[in-house]
Amino acid sequence: MRADVQNLFIGIHMLYIAHERDLTLSEMLPELEELGYRVAEREVKQELERLTQENFLTAHGDAFSITGTGIEEFKDIQVKLQVLCSEVLTPAKAAKASG
């Protein structure tokens, strides 16, 4: 997966997790690796900083929590992901069945 695409997915995962609980850099790296991402601490830190600069997360000490703007962004992402999944995954399944 290209790095720019992976970073978008990582950002979505971070917003999802932040919707559930506060994030820390030290916890995010192993969680993202467990999800199959190949990331370095520097990349995780950069994504946390980007989400903070966009006002989706707010930093307090070593932790990051989701903001109201981040919650709204996450809701918008969920809607788009539902559409994307219905368009992208369904045809892939149909193609496998007929091929």
Side-chain angles (χ1 to χ4, degrees):
M1 181 181 315
R2 290 186 351 230
D4 59 334
V5 175
Q6 176 175 285
N7 289 342
L8 291 172
F9 278 105
I10 288 171
I12 292 168
H13 271 102
M14 287 181 175
L15 288 177
Y16 168 74
I17 294 167
H19 198 267
E20 302 294 317
R21 60 178 167 75
D22 285 355
L23 308 176
T24 64
L25 178 61
S26 61
E27 292 173 343
M28 282 312 306
L29 184 59
E31 283 191 50
L32 291 170
E33 288 173 342
E34 189 174 306
L35 290 167
Y37 295 107
R38 294 180 183 160
V39 291
E41 184 175 313
R42 172 186 48 82
E43 294 167 309
V44 176
K45 184 177 180 182
Q46 286 175 343
E47 190 61 22
L48 286 168
E49 289 171 354
R50 186 188 67 78
L51 292 170
T52 301
Q53 287 174 351
E54 292 184 13
N55 195 34
F56 298 148
L57 297 177
T58 187
H60 45 91
D62 290 342
F64 296 82
S65 57
I66 197 162
T67 64
T69 303
I71 291 169
E72 291 305 311
E73 180 70 6
F74 181 67
K75 288 178 183 177
D76 290 344
I77 289 169
Q78 286 180 308
V79 170
K80 292 296 182 189
L81 284 175
Q82 287 177 335
V83 172
L84 181 68
C85 286
S86 70
E87 291 178 351
V88 174
L89 296 180
T90 303
K93 290 178 185 174
K96 280 186 178 180
S98 64

